[in-house]
Amino acid sequence: MDRRKVIKTLGISAALVTTGLIGACNTGNAEAEKELKELKDSLKNVKNKPLSERDKKIVNRNEMTIKDPENPTKAELKHTPEIKLGDTDELAYTEVKITVGMGIIHPSTKDHWIDFIKLYADDNLVGTVEFEPGTASGYTVFKIKKENIKTLKAEIGCNIHGIWHSELEI
């Protein structure tokens, strides 16, 4: 189980305890009992796996936005994914190119890098690319069939400066 799932599961556990759901289970609430059983079952699979050196360096998972879209800062531009459509092949797959940094390329060092890029088509995950510290630039290409797709959304993670998004209407 990955670190994020462990944290999420532990957070849910704490929320259950603080909201009194466990107490509700003791009073015969069938739905609450079912939720508690599912939680207990998921906790059985949690292993105390040590964090990798890479994961230890991922310190910010806050959702970030450009505060003033009319006047974005250099730091905001550096973290905003840019989505561009490329060529369409004979099987009707279109290239979707994602570059992190709108005119200002994000650095890639062992301590500060883009650790992932995700692409969504109408809120459905198309794919995820993970990067190791200092080994690759924040750039990737996906190929999709864009028929019936209205919006593409790119989501990127900077290990220090959080999660950034952009959308492209197609």
Side-chain angles (χ1 to χ4, degrees), residues 79-84 97-103 140 154 156 166:
H79 291 94
T80 302
E82 183 175 28
I83 306 168
K84 290 185 179 178
K97 301 174 185 182
I98 302 171
T99 304
V100 180
M102 300 188 101
T140 193
I156 67 95
S166 66

Side-chain angles (χ1 to χ4, degrees), residues 6-7 9 22 27 31 39 50 69 71 76 79 83 91 94 103 111 113 117 119-120 127 143 146 155 158 162 167 170:
V6 170
I7 291 169
T9 302
I22 292 173
T27 63
E31 189 172 326
L39 176 63
N71 297 302
E76 291 169 335
H79 291 94
I83 306 168
L91 298 175
T94 301
D111 294 317
W113 79 102
I117 297 175
L119 177 65
Y120 295 86
K143 282 191 164 189
K146 63 180 188 173
E155 177 181 277
C158 171
E167 291 188 5
I170 57 173

Side-chain angles (χ1 to χ4, degrees), residues 6-7 30 40 70 77 96 125 131 150 159 162:
V6 170
I7 291 169
K40 285 180 179 178
E70 298 298 319
L77 289 172
V96 179
L125 181 64
F131 299 98
K150 294 179 174 72
N159 71 308

Side-chain angles (χ1 to χ4, degrees), residues 40-143:
K40 285 180 179 178
D41 289 344
S42 70
L43 286 173
K44 288 177 187 173
N45 297 323
V46 174
K47 295 182 176 138
N48 292 328
K49 181 179 173 186
L51 293 177
S52 69
E53 289 303 312
R54 176 187 183 276
D55 287 344
K56 287 178 187 176
K57 293 179 181 180
I58 298 173
V59 297
N60 185 345
R61 281 297 172 248
N62 294 321
E63 298 280 332
M64 308 301 287
T65 60
I66 295 176
K67 291 185 180 24
D68 179 3
E70 298 298 319
N71 297 302
T73 67
K74 287 182 180 180
E76 291 169 335
L77 289 172
K78 188 187 319 181
H79 291 94
T80 302
E82 183 175 28
I83 306 168
K84 290 185 179 178
L85 296 179
D87 296 332
T88 301
D89 66 21
E90 63 277 356
L91 298 175
Y93 285 93
T94 301
E95 290 181 336
V96 179
K97 301 174 185 182
I98 302 171
T99 304
V100 180
M102 300 188 101
I104 303 172
I105 301 302
H106 192 282
S108 183
T109 68
K110 65 182 181 124
D111 294 317
H112 183 197
W113 79 102
I114 298 303
D115 60 274
F116 75 84
I117 297 175
K118 292 182 181 183
L119 177 65
Y120 295 86
D122 293 334
D123 295 323
N124 297 309
L125 181 64
V126 172
T128 304
V129 177
E130 290 190 356
F131 299 98
E132 293 299 315
T135 60
S137 175
Y139 172 82
T140 193
V141 177
F142 294 93
K143 282 191 164 189

